[in-house]
Structures are given as C-alpha cells and as structure tokens.
Amino acid sequence: MAAYDTDTSPARFLTFEGGEGVGKSTQVKRLAARLGDLGVSVVRSREPGGTPKAEAVRSFILQGKPESWGVGAEAVLFAAARLDHVNELIAPALASGKWVLCDRFADSTRVYQGLTGGVEEGLIDALEALALNGHVPDLTIILDMDPENAFERVRRRAMEDGMPALADRFEKEDLDFHRRLRAGFLAIAAKNPDRCVVLSADMDEDALAEEIWRVVRERFPELETEDQPA
C-alpha cells in the first residue's frame, strides 16, 4: 500500500476530552508524534487557549476571576476564546491540509458549564454554533477514569515533579463535581456515537497510546501504509 499522501488525503480535526488528570495532554503529544512519523503535518493546540487572545482568556478564567459573574458569563468567555481559536488557528490549519489535535474543545463547555454548571442548553447550543462555525471534530476521543483514581494520579505527578498539587479553577472542586463531569462526558459520547469514542484511561501510558492509535487508524484508513502492521 502506498505511503500517506499529504497532497490528496483530507485534513482531519481530532479532539481529546475527559476529566482532570486522565492524560489528555500526554496522549495528544504522542499521537501528534506518531502521525508526524507518517509524514502527516500536525498542529497541536488546547482549550481554552491556542491563540494569544484565547490564552489570555484562559488565564483569566482559571485564576477564578469571573466566578462572581456566574457560570453563564463563564460560558460566554469560553465561547469568545473558542471563536478566536477556530478563526485564527483551527480553520486556517485545516484549510492548508494540516491535521489539528486539540486538548479539549466544545464538549468541555457543554459538560462543565452546561450539564454540570446548569447553563441552559439553548444558550450552550447558540454559543457553540457561533464559535464552531461548522468546524465539528472528525473524531473525539474521550478518556474515561474514576475521579478518585485521577486525583491520585495528579497528586503523584505533582510529588514526582517536586511541586505542590496546586488547584486551578476546576481542579479544586469536590469529587461529586468530578463524578458529574464524568457522567456528562459519557452522556455526550452516547448521544454522538459517530463522532465519539470512549477509552479507559486506567491503562498505562504506552497501552493507551496504542489503543488510541488503533482507533485513529480504523477511523482514517488513509493512514494505512506498507510498513504498518496488520
């Protein structure tokens, strides 16, 4: 079979979702490297963030500054950051034939501010339509883990890095909050089976990377090359 053809193969948009401490950032990085080995041009990004304006919004939100404004205002801020992210980074990258891998995207707003925070679904729908402007992910990988296990992973990682496990705007919430987040992501996956794949994040990093690679290759057969195992 011929090698991956960057000229004729379509650009793809993949997002990674899930609760805190499930390893999204690590797996985005590993998948990007593996795709790069095949000659795929990849852009890695994250939300909130990805562009200078969106990163400024990220800093503002995660410091807890808009908490007094209410969760609805928070959802609007995320949408504003996402609109800039899509217009300035995601859409141009896809238009140029690059694959985009994003650590969190619109599903996180739907779960954090909508299903968990209580923002009306109609407002979430409207903000999502405005910000995405038709740029729906081709594949969303939801990494699933019991929140207690995820918290232990975060604490262990902080100790290994020699740093205190500082809580950001969301990590400081209690376990019940994170259990509701988990249920929210699983509900989105059940509602969107054509787009979403749920994988257990309890396996070790290497095993999870292999499972993600299996899912991506099955979803995008243009990645099959002569040197890939059957």
Side-chain angles (χ1 to χ4, degrees), residues 177-193:
F177 174 85
H178 288 278
R179 291 188 182 105
R180 287 184 283 129
L181 289 180
R182 182 188 190 189
F185 281 116
L186 293 177
I188 285 177
K191 189 175 181 180
N192 301 274

Side-chain angles (χ1 to χ4, degrees), residues 7 13 18 81 92-93 138 160 186 206:
D7 293 325
F13 180 23
D138 296 295
E160 291 172 352
L186 293 177
D206 290 340

Side-chain angles (χ1 to χ4, degrees), residues 3-204:
Y4 180 82
D5 190 336
T6 57
D7 293 325
T8 61
S9 298
R12 302 293 188 181
F13 180 23
L14 282 66
T15 57
F16 283 67
E17 297 282 7
E20 310 297 338
V22 297
K24 297 182 303 300
S25 300
T26 297
Q27 294 301 332
V28 167
K29 183 178 180 179
R30 292 189 62 150
L31 179 58
R34 198 153 192 177
L35 288 167
D37 289 342
L38 291 183
V40 181
S41 183
V42 180
V43 172
R44 286 194 289 130
S45 195
R46 67 176 184 176
E47 285 213 347
T51 62
K53 291 178 182 177
E55 289 290 339
V57 174
R58 176 190 180 90
S59 178
F60 183 74
I61 291 174
L62 295 185
Q63 290 173 25
K65 292 180 179 179
E67 284 186 65
S68 62
W69 300 356
V71 70
E74 199 168 66
V76 172
L77 286 171
F78 275 118
R82 181 164 300 122
L83 179 63
D84 189 71
H85 188 206
V86 169
N87 288 345
E88 299 299 322
L89 188 147
I90 294 174
L94 294 172
S96 68
K98 298 176 182 177
W99 286 44
V100 177
L101 308 185
C102 192
D103 179 352
R104 295 201 182 282
F105 195 58
D107 290 322
S108 281
T109 298
R110 190 167 289 276
V111 170
Y112 279 82
Q113 283 72 47
L115 297 173
T116 303
V119 175
E120 184 180 337
E121 185 176 8
L123 175 58
I124 295 292
D125 289 342
L127 291 173
E128 186 173 297
L130 172 66
L132 269 60
N133 193 24
H135 294 87
V136 177
D138 296 295
L139 172 66
T140 296
I141 295 172
I142 296 176
L143 301 184
D144 179 52
M145 178 184 284
D146 183 284
E148 291 191 57
N149 295 341
F151 273 14
E152 178 57 33
R153 176 184 285 183
V154 170
R155 285 193 293 268
R156 186 169 61 249
R157 184 173 59 200
M159 291 178 63
E160 291 172 352
D161 292 341
M163 298 177 64
L166 298 176
D168 71 7
R169 165 66 180 84
F170 298 119
E171 288 174 339
K172 70 182 182 182
E173 301 286 354
D174 61 22
L175 276 174
D176 180 64
F177 174 85
H178 288 278
R179 291 188 182 105
R180 287 184 283 129
L181 289 180
R182 182 188 190 189
F185 281 116
L186 293 177
I188 285 177
K191 189 175 181 180
N192 301 274
D194 292 339
R195 174 172 65 85
C196 299
V197 174
V198 178
L199 297 177
S200 172
D202 283 305
M203 64 184 82
D204 67 52

